[in-house]
Amino acid sequence: MTAGANQLESNLQPASETEMQSSIIPADLNYASSGPFRVARLPRIEHTCHKLFPQCLGTQCLLRLDIFCPKGGSSFGAAPPYPLAIFTGGFLVGSGAYVSYAERLASWGYVTVLYDKAETAVDNLDDVISVKFIQEIMDWCGSHPVVSRVSDFSRVYLCGHSRGGKLSVLAAAVDPRVVALCLLDPVDNTVWAPLGPGYPSAIQALKLLGSKQTIEGTAGVPLALVGSGLGGDCAPKAANFRLFYEACTAPSWMVSVEQAGHFQFLDKQSSMQRAVCAQGRLPDYSVRQLSQAVMVAWAQATIPLNRDGSEQVTPLGVKGAVSGRDEAASNVVSKALAAISDPYVQLQSQTKNI
């Protein structure tokens, strides 16, 4: 094993007895807060996607990966491998803007990957090759000597913001390892990335996901959506989250945050992002808390954790059945609202095929 792998493994050693005792799941779970697991963030890894050559060239084949792992699950019966989650950011938005999302997922028992591609506004990678990068991350997690031991890369939860939501859908359409989706203010084809070679429509792909066979043999990839009511030109109505929801034929749940703008989902906005996209009256922190509550609840309801490497369980005992999704959809918004005391929280929530 290499020195780098040894360093990774040292970060993933089981928690001490004291640490495990302090991470026992509380009786009253709140999806709008951190979960019962401790989180280990591994040192950043650079990975060159050799097999994607010549579709990418030189430094364009380089991925920079940040991995967040759950620790301390044995105190309440959870055991690795934990489901794998991959979070894809918006166009040219660095993964550092989504660290709180990765930490939140890992705190609820999901090995979570953030990543950065080497692209610029004038030298960007199209959607087709970008989807292959997501698949490459799944492959890499399955072959890495340490990450493969703690992550269940056969059950993958794809999450994404803006263009990252679109890419997550396109990846789910071609890879049976993807078993659930959560999209934050996704954007499909626009005048900036029109439908054409290299830029397929995720909304069209969603129409087929209701009958898609996953690696688990189930039909359909369940979808959760959180959208901004003030997306404006940054998330045009002709390509926004509502059309994703309308197109989805699988079990789906949509939450619209009326007083949120497109970039308010980020951990931190730049001055340019604030200037370009509308800003709602709801504070950015509240937008994130609400989005993360939905993201975690959907994960818990659709991709249960393992107990002792065999039986699949979640802290709520949800088995991942349709009734579990319905429980998440009916409870999470009220739990999130209870944790966010803000007069501008205005939500619309819908479910279908559940």
Side-chain angles (χ1 to χ4, degrees), residues 97-154:
Y98 304 102
V99 169
S100 69
Y101 291 87
E103 290 176 336
R104 181 62 57 83
L105 274 173
S107 78
W108 285 91
Y110 299 83
V111 174
T112 307
V113 179
L114 295 179
Y115 67 98
D116 289 303
K117 299 177 292 184
E119 62 178 343
T120 65
V122 295
D123 191 20
N124 63 297
L125 297 158
D126 68 28
D127 292 347
V128 172
I129 185 64
S130 295
V131 165
K132 291 183 178 179
F133 276 116
I134 295 175
Q135 292 181 287
E136 173 75 8
I137 293 170
M138 296 184 216
D139 293 342
W140 178 87
C141 289
S143 62
H144 190 276
V146 176
V147 178
S148 63
R149 288 163 45 193
V150 295
S151 65
D152 183 351
F153 45 88
S154 69

Side-chain angles (χ1 to χ4, degrees), residues 176-353:
R177 291 172 291 187
V178 181
V179 295
L181 289 162
C182 181
L183 315 181
L184 308 179
D185 220 25
V187 181
D188 201 30
N189 300 98
T190 65
V191 293
W192 309 109
L195 183 68
Y199 294 92
S201 168
I203 290 173
Q204 292 300 315
L206 270 176
K207 295 178 180 179
L208 304 176
L209 281 180
S211 58
K212 177 201 167 187
Q213 287 290 117
T214 69
I215 201 166
E216 294 182 322
T218 58
V221 179
L223 167 70
L225 287 157
V226 183
S228 66
L230 302 173
D233 292 338
C234 295
K237 288 184 178 180
N240 76 358
F241 71 100
R242 295 187 186 277
L243 297 185
F244 280 74
Y245 181 72
E246 291 172 7
C248 186
T249 57
S252 50
W253 175 28
M254 178 182 71
V255 176
S256 173
V257 188
E258 299 303 300
Q259 280 297 321
H262 184 62
F263 280 126
Q264 288 187 262
F265 293 83
L266 307 187
D267 286 351
K268 185 178 181 180
Q269 297 186 67
S270 68
S271 56
M272 177 66 72
Q273 288 164 339
R274 288 189 178 277
V276 170
C277 295
Q279 303 291 307
R281 290 177 291 178
L282 191 64
D284 295 4
Y285 173 79
S286 298
V287 176
R288 292 195 303 273
Q289 288 294 90
L290 214 60
S291 302
Q292 290 168 14
V294 171
M295 176 184 69
V296 168
W298 200 243
Q300 292 276 288
T302 57
I303 315 178
L305 308 184
N306 288 320
R307 170 176 289 164
D308 299 328
S310 55
E311 182 188 4
Q312 292 182 349
V313 299
T314 69
L316 278 181
V318 175
K319 299 295 183 181
V322 169
S323 60
R325 300 185 192 120
D326 195 31
E327 178 184 352
S330 63
N331 291 337
V332 66
V333 173
S334 60
K335 287 187 176 183
L337 285 171
I340 302 169
S341 56
D342 192 286
Y344 299 117
V345 175
Q346 299 174 23
L347 301 176
Q348 293 180 6
S349 179
Q350 295 177 248
T351 60
K352 64 179 182 180
N353 303 325

